Amino acid sequence: MASKAPRLRCLFSSHATPAPIIRQPFSRPFATEVPDPQTPSRRPTTTFRDRLNVGPSFDDFVASPPSAETSAPTSSDLASSTDDTPTSAPPLRTALVGPANRKRQITRLPTWLQTPIPTSPNYKRIKSDLRGLNLHTVCEEARCPNINDCWGGSDKSAATATIMLMGDTCTRGCRFCSVKTSRAPPPLDPHEPEHTAEALKRWGLGYVVLTSVDRDDLADGGAHHFAETIRKIKDKAPGMLVEALTGDYAGDLEMVDLVAESGLDVYAHNVETVEALTPVVRDRRAGFRQSLRVLERAKGAGEGMITKTSVMLGLGETEDQLWEMLRELRKVGTDVVTFGQYMQPTKRHMPVDTYVTPAVFEMWRQRALDMGFLYCASGPLVRSSYKAGEAFIENVIKKRKGRRDVTMVDDVRRISHDASV
């Protein structure tokens, strides 16, 4: 009889002997017993957390007292420099952010670009008035860093707000601007001119800046609405000086005349950047030469009209391009120019090419004055509607009006004297 082969049992078969179950002794805690603290389990990293770590920190938006090592050059330091080259600036701060296995280096905002968070009572009052009258400001829509300085005066008469007319939605999409865009914005508010004039009269300002979004969906670009607002303001507050920061009205110079002849005191239109960068920075419907024609037409609209424009630095412009731009502005009789640092509103907008130092801004301010500009405000936080610039222009206009009044009085006296003789 053949021998019987041993049978092997598969360990994974259902007939395998089950492992013994070890039961832990159950202990019931008392009601007064304090359980031992358990170490919380670490949550896995997420894409949102990685993006949040890479973003700017809270310190980037709050001003802190600059140290001696990182403070910007003072005016005395600039005055002590004998050559035309700006003094050396401190190195920019960098930081490593992100997860441990994916660290990346970013550039922090320089100390001279940090501003305090607006919390003053006057800021809240002005904001409440604007919301109550359904008005918009470029200070909020364009995320201006000077909003605390302009709105936070001791009283409303010391504050400055740039009212943005024709809604908060623009028909153009410039790569530097954070204002909302749409091909078909909401219709104009017919009560806006009256509400704007009433709000400005209530504040008792001596100088006001009006601007607007571009409305290429309208036949006149909104010029009649803009002019009507200026006339309402002059009717309610004849002594108030009005600056109008307008678009180019798609090159329609008749609309420029309409706004310039409505009673305003300063006509402003921004070229924004040098001619070579205009196609990259601004909307395709805008143009450097078209902006020059607007400024030239506004200058000839009336005697004593002050024209003004603004330029952003830090977009990649060169020194020769800036020189050429200033020469072109002087050819069309531009009186005032301002220089400010471009700051990227969101990651969807153009990145900053260079953070320009205060010394370089001071150098271009002096160069502009040497070329014959009436006034130049230049600094990292300077914007088109800059409070210090408005105060200077206000004084210039009042002095000009005062001289004209004196001349008129002298003419009247001379005529009376000749008649009596």
Side-chain angles (χ1 to χ4, degrees), residues 241-285:
L241 302 179
V242 179
E243 174 184 329
L245 174 59
T246 75
D248 55 17
Y249 299 112
D252 190 346
L253 298 182
E254 291 184 0
M255 298 299 102
V256 176
D257 293 337
L258 179 66
V259 177
E261 296 170 359
S262 61
L264 59 83
D265 302 283
V266 179
Y267 195 109
H269 174 70
N270 294 340
V271 296
E272 307 294 0
T273 187
V274 296
E275 185 174 11
L277 296 180
T278 296
V280 181
V281 176
R282 302 174 69 184
D283 186 271
R284 59 180 177 80
R285 286 162 287 187

Side-chain angles (χ1 to χ4, degrees), residues 56 100-101 133-134 146 190 207 228 266 281 338 363 370-371:
N101 58 341
L133 294 172
N134 193 27
N146 299 320
Y207 192 104
E228 179 64 20
V266 179
V281 176
T338 66
M363 178 186 67
D370 294 340
M371 292 182 67

Side-chain angles (χ1 to χ4, degrees), residues 9 268 274 310 359:
R9 176 174 291 179
V274 296
S310 181

Side-chain angles (χ1 to χ4, degrees), residues 176 271-282 288 310-326 338-343 350-357 360-361 363-364 367 378-380:
F176 65 89
V271 296
E272 307 294 0
T273 187
V274 296
E275 185 174 11
L277 296 180
T278 296
V280 181
V281 176
R282 302 174 69 184
F288 183 80
S310 181
V311 182
M312 296 177 293
L313 301 186
L315 292 168
E317 64 284 339
T318 64
E319 186 170 351
D320 292 338
Q321 292 170 347
L322 287 172
W323 275 118
E324 180 63 23
M325 178 201 65
L326 291 177
T338 66
F339 293 102
Q341 170 69 52
Y342 167 66
M343 297 174 67
M350 283 190 65
V352 178
D353 181 82
T354 307
Y355 283 115
V356 183
T357 62
V360 175
F361 277 107
M363 178 186 67
W364 281 109
R367 287 178 174 179
S378 181

Side-chain angles (χ1 to χ4, degrees), residues 72-74 76-90 357-360 363:
T74 61
S76 60
D77 296 334
L78 296 173
S80 62
S81 179
T82 57
D83 57 357
D84 196 28
T85 304
T87 56
S88 59
T357 62
V360 175
M363 178 186 67

Side-chain angles (χ1 to χ4, degrees), residues 189-198 225 228-229 232-233:
D189 179 10
H191 304 291
E192 186 177 48
E194 182 70 26
H195 289 170
T196 302
E198 182 62 32
H225 188 88
E228 179 64 20
T229 304
K232 290 283 187 181
I233 294 174

